[in-house]
Amino acid sequence: MIGVAIKMIVGDKLKYFGLIAGIAFASLLVIQQASILVGLTHQTGAFIRDTNQFDLWVMDPQIRFSQDTIPLTDGTLPRVRGIEGVEWAVPMYQGFLRARLPDGTRQTVILVGLDDATLIGGPPEMARGQFESLREDKALIIDEDSRLQKFRFKQAGTGALDVGDTFDINDTEMKVTGTFKSSKSFFWEPTVYTTYSRAIRVAPRERKMMNYVLVKLKPGADRVAVASAIEAATGAKARTSDEFIKITADYILKETGILVNFAMAVGLGFIVGALVSGQMLYNFTVDNLRFYGTLKAMGASNLRLVGMVLTQSLLVGLIGFGIGLGAGTVLGEVVGKAGLAFLMPWWIPAFGGAAILGTCILAGAISLVRVIRLEPAIVFKGA
Amino acid sequence: MSTAAPSAQPASSQAASGKGLAAYCRGVTKHYGSGSNQVLALRGIDLEIPAGKLTMLVGPSGCGKTTLISVIAGILDRDAGECSVFGRDFSAMGQRERTRYRGENIGFVFQQFNLLPTLNAAENVAVPLMILGEGRAAAVAKGKEYLAQVGLGDRWKSLPSQLSGGQQQRVAIARALVHSPRLIVCDEPTSALDHETGGRVMALLKDVALKNDRALVIVTHDARIFSYADQIAKMDDGRVDQVITGSGITAEARGH
Ligand SMILES: Nc1ncnc2c1ncn2[C@@H]1O[C@H](COP(=O)(O)OP(=O)(O)OP(=O)(O)O)[C@@H](O)[C@H]1O
Ligand SMILES: [Mg+2]
């Protein structure tokens, strides 16, 4: 009878394709919007992720996200270095500065200054040139994607900034000695790296210049204990990269309204899809009540009919969701290539699928009330 | 009063003359609705349905014919009275047993055919077998055999919408017979068909359905098919007024 149930719904081409299209569309909306939200969230942590080799960021307690650029008080660095369990600690500068390309094109950049001796805190992978080239005179590395997109000459220029080119940051000449591979970032301004001492020289003079102290723990040291010791000694805040990524994401999502907007898109997609598909599934069963009555009269038990209706719900739910998931993945692939945010961790299809299939089964179950209550005697009533 | 077995027949004319009783009713009542909307559809039905015979239920619209065969076929509960089908009382069975018993012993033919529109003819005929648990392939193969018996062997692939009314009713008859039920109930099986097609359907029903001592109960308005009956029960206002047999049937058919 499962075969009969499948033929009942598959044979009704118009309703069948309508149902599948509705469910597929709802699934696509839910999956796609959720994946973009996750992708955007992930992108907010790009700067933090593009660093390596250390365990804690020490920062001003008021910092809300990774581009907040609030400097630390003098003396933080030596105090951190004096704390038990700290293997080493190095400074990092971060500031928004104006750059001017050779053709006069203006571009705001985030200049990051890395500890001169160790170059700790830099991006993990170079696209062209050597990371150590930062030690050369005027050296600066820029990221390869920004080079091609944001560091383009706009005025009578040709092409993009290249390795070997020079340009000004805050009226100081810098030379591109290499490019690095960056994670796609939520933030617009390109991040460029130089050494700490050079960054301090380039940047406008302020009383306090050091934004972060990057800390490596001694092997076996208790991270939490060291972090609170640092906080007690300096009045600063010590965070792991994961913690820093999280507060950045939370702040950006809330502050920009992205979270609310996407949550609404996901919710609306789901509700509209659920209402339309649920209604169609319900109607499908009700339209077939006469035939369920006939089957009942001919000896089909309620349990059998429950199995039939739920089979139909699951069938269209699975096919519809499958198509929606496939379309969502393809779409994600396309927009991902175009550089847009799209990240689909396993739990998006898992929860999305559970929600969509759950809705289909619920609609089937509601319509089943009519089937179970059905008096088989209706079969003798006129059409 | 015992209702245990067919042998416990009340002494009556039909039972005495025939091979046995498929079903009987004694004082069966049934109402619909409640309060001022209450309708007494059956007001004490006494009727015997002999095996191996074609019984017709006739009477004016609203007299309770459909209600009566619904009770006899076990798809509607009676209020009171006795009713037994092959010695079993549907009211004494649980829901599951009743459904099962109905599936095994009763075949249905409907005025509107009630064929599943997305199944082909052979699959439609096979449905009662599948309900009883037979595998799909075997059931459909048997469905084709029965289609051949009603003269539609070459149309087994057709969907109901591709068949004429008469052909659809023949498919429905094959479906009512495929699982060899002992009682077949038909509500107005010819009223959606023209006279000639209706006659052919009746001839077929009488021919294939009455084999093996099956009992056939047909509700009809259609006086032109009265001549196919072995007994005619005339109903009025929830009662069986008169049971006509033998030469009375010819007179009845001519009278209309
Ligand atoms: N489900 C129902 N609810 C309320 N009243 C009903 C219902 N079914 C039938 N009735 C009433 O019961 C009475 C008998 O109905 P039934 O359908 O058995 O008549 P019938 O002899 O088959 O009529 P027809 O020849 O028009 O088919 C009628 O008065 C009808 O209105
Ligand atoms: Mg009727």
Side-chain angles (χ1 to χ4, degrees):
Chain A
M1 292 307 281
I2 295 301
V4 172
I6 292 172
K7 272 213 148 182
M8 265 173 92
I9 194 156
V10 173
D12 199 340
K13 296 264 180 322
L14 203 65
K15 284 182 195 148
Y16 179 63
F17 289 128
L19 263 167
I20 285 185
I23 295 167
F25 194 66
S27 308
L28 173 64
L29 265 180
V30 168
I31 286 171
Q32 191 237 9
Q33 293 296 310
S35 297
I36 291 177
L37 176 60
V38 172
L40 283 175
T41 306
H42 186 79
Q43 288 188 359
T44 61
F47 169 68
I48 307 169
R49 250 179 226 107
D50 281 353
T51 59
N52 56 4
Q53 299 172 303
F54 59 91
D55 299 314
L56 289 171
W57 299 73
V58 179
M59 64 189 80
D60 187 277
Q62 287 194 36
I63 279 188
R64 295 157 301 180
F65 64 106
S66 62
Q67 264 75 336
D68 223 357
T69 63
I70 306 173
L72 290 162
T73 46
D74 298 333
T76 304
L77 182 60
R79 260 180 242 139
V80 170
R81 283 179 172 153
I83 284 164
E84 170 101 29
V86 171
E87 173 107 6
W88 47 252
V90 297
M92 178 187 261
Y93 168 84
Q94 181 196 43
F96 286 79
L97 298 181
R98 271 197 303 281
R100 195 169 151 274
L101 305 193
D103 71 331
T105 301
R106 299 285 186 172
Q107 171 72 53
T108 301
V109 299
I110 300 172
L111 180 67
V112 177
L114 306 175
D115 178 51
D116 291 55
T118 61
L119 297 179
I120 291 289
E125 207 182 339
M126 294 296 283
R128 296 195 292 158
Q130 298 299 314
F131 187 55
E132 287 68 27
S133 66
L134 279 183
R135 297 211 168 89
E136 294 168 17
D137 191 30
K138 299 179 187 173
L140 177 90
I141 59 172
I142 64 178
D143 89 79
E144 183 64 22
D145 288 343
S146 295
R147 185 181 80 80
L148 296 172
Q149 287 160 24
K150 293 170 188 168
F151 286 124
R152 293 194 80 85
F153 307 127
K154 289 182 185 134
Q155 296 159 23
T158 47
L161 204 57
D162 214 338
V163 174
D165 285 347
T166 58
F167 70 106
D168 289 354
I169 294 181
N170 201 24
D171 295 328
T172 311
E173 191 179 67
M174 306 291 279
K175 184 178 174 196
V176 180
T177 59
T179 65
F180 62 92
K181 290 184 184 161
S182 65
S183 308
K184 184 80 202 161
S185 177
F186 176 81
F187 299 98
W188 170 250
E189 295 84 4
T191 303
V192 300
Y193 291 88
T194 187
T195 58
Y196 184 78
S197 60
R198 195 175 297 123
I200 299 292
R201 250 180 290 125
V202 171
R205 187 131 301 279
E206 287 179 60
R207 201 174 58 74
K208 300 183 284 180
M209 299 289 276
M210 190 186 302
N211 298 86
Y212 301 103
V213 170
L214 310 180
V215 173
K216 179 76 181 176
L217 299 178
K218 283 197 173 123
D222 176 11
R223 182 174 53 72
V224 179
V226 175
S228 23
I230 291 173
E231 288 173 4
T234 62
K237 183 87 191 158
R239 293 192 166 99
T240 62
S241 286
D242 286 345
E243 288 162 355
F244 197 17
I245 284 170
K246 183 169 184 330
I247 64 157
T248 298
D250 287 352
Y251 177 77
I252 299 296
L253 291 185
K254 225 188 287 159
E255 214 53 25
T256 55
I258 285 176
L259 186 64
V260 175
N261 278 308
F262 277 86
M264 267 167 63
V266 170
L268 284 178
F270 179 72
I271 290 170
V272 171
L275 284 181
V276 171
S277 320
Q279 165 83 2
M280 284 173 82
L281 255 176
Y282 179 84
N283 281 350
F284 180 79
T285 305
V286 170
D287 289 347
N288 279 301
L289 273 184
R290 179 171 198 80
F291 302 110
Y292 287 118
T294 306
L295 295 176
K296 248 189 190 187
M298 296 192 303
S301 64
N302 275 333
L303 201 64
R304 260 266 175 56
L305 301 183
V306 168
M308 290 179 72
V309 170
L310 291 186
T311 299
Q312 292 165 351
S313 304
L314 262 180
L315 179 78
V316 291
L318 276 174
I319 295 178
F321 179 72
I323 292 173
L325 178 59
T329 310
V330 170
L331 203 68
E333 206 61 32
V334 172
V335 299
K337 281 223 174 72
L340 297 177
F342 189 97
L343 194 65
M344 183 160 56
W346 64 269
W347 54 264
I348 289 182
F351 282 97
I356 297 280
L357 288 183
T359 309
C360 290
I361 289 179
L362 184 69
I366 293 173
S367 71
L368 267 172
V369 173
R370 299 277 301 269
V371 175
I372 289 169
R373 292 222 181 116
L374 189 66
E375 282 284 347
I378 68 136
V379 292
F380 281 137
K381 293 276 176 288
Chain B
M1 196 182 290
S2 165
T3 60
S7 56
Q9 310 153 10
S12 84
S13 53
Q14 278 301 323
S17 74
K19 309 155 191 176
L21 215 48
Y24 75 85
C25 297
R26 280 276 166 284
V28 169
T29 59
K30 173 70 188 175
H31 77 280
Y32 293 106
S34 58
S36 57
N37 290 325
Q38 185 163 348
V39 178
L40 259 180
L42 302 180
R43 296 167 182 265
I45 296 284
D46 297 318
L47 181 66
E48 289 165 1
I49 294 166
K53 297 254 154 77
L54 193 166
T55 300
M56 278 190 195
L57 288 179
V58 304
S61 182
C63 71
K65 305 181 293 292
T66 298
T67 305
L68 179 56
I69 59 162
S70 299
V71 169
I72 291 172
I75 55 175
L76 194 65
D77 288 325
R78 63 183 188 266
D79 294 343
E82 273 176 64
C83 187
S84 143
V85 177
F86 303 110
R88 298 289 308 271
D89 178 356
F90 277 113
S91 299
M93 302 181 201
Q95 157 110 311
R96 301 188 68 146
E97 192 189 1
R98 184 189 319 187
T99 306
R100 176 100 202 157
Y101 190 79
R102 201 164 59 219
E104 283 168 352
N105 294 291
I106 300 188
F108 292 88
V109 178
F110 310 97
Q111 179 178 8
Q112 301 298 334
F113 322 135
N114 291 358
L115 298 173
L116 274 71
T118 57
L119 301 191
N120 69 33
E123 289 163 340
N124 260 296
V125 175
V127 163
L129 293 172
M130 292 193 259
I131 288 175
L132 291 175
E134 189 145 347
R136 193 190 141 75
V140 172
K142 211 160 177 189
K144 284 186 206 167
E145 277 173 38
Y146 273 77
L147 272 182
Q149 280 193 37
V150 298
L152 289 172
D154 52 340
R155 298 301 301 273
W156 67 270
K157 266 187 178 163
S158 304
L159 295 175
S161 58
Q162 296 162 333
L163 298 171
S164 71
Q167 288 171 330
Q168 289 185 59
Q169 197 60 300
R170 274 145 72 191
V171 174
I173 289 169
R175 178 176 70 178
L177 297 173
V178 71
H179 54 307
S180 306
R182 295 193 283 168
L183 172 66
I184 293 154
V185 295
C186 317
D187 198 2
E188 312 269 11
T190 60
S191 69
L193 308 175
D194 65 52
H195 177 51
E196 201 185 311
T197 316
R200 257 188 270 129
V201 162
M202 279 311 301
L204 178 71
L205 261 176
K206 188 150 187 182
D207 179 39
V208 292
L210 287 183
K211 280 181 188 155
N212 304 325
D213 255 8
R214 280 181 194 140
L216 192 54
V217 181
I218 296 179
V219 166
T220 188
H221 272 111
D222 188 354
R224 292 169 303 194
I225 64 169
F226 285 177
S227 55
Y228 293 94
D230 295 314
Q231 90 170 8
I232 295 179
K234 289 181 89 171
M235 288 183 66
D236 195 14
D237 197 20
R239 288 194 186 81
V240 175
D241 283 349
Q242 196 186 356
V243 175
I244 306 166
T245 55
S247 57
I249 291 176
T250 329
E252 187 68 23
R254 215 175 278 129
H256 276 267

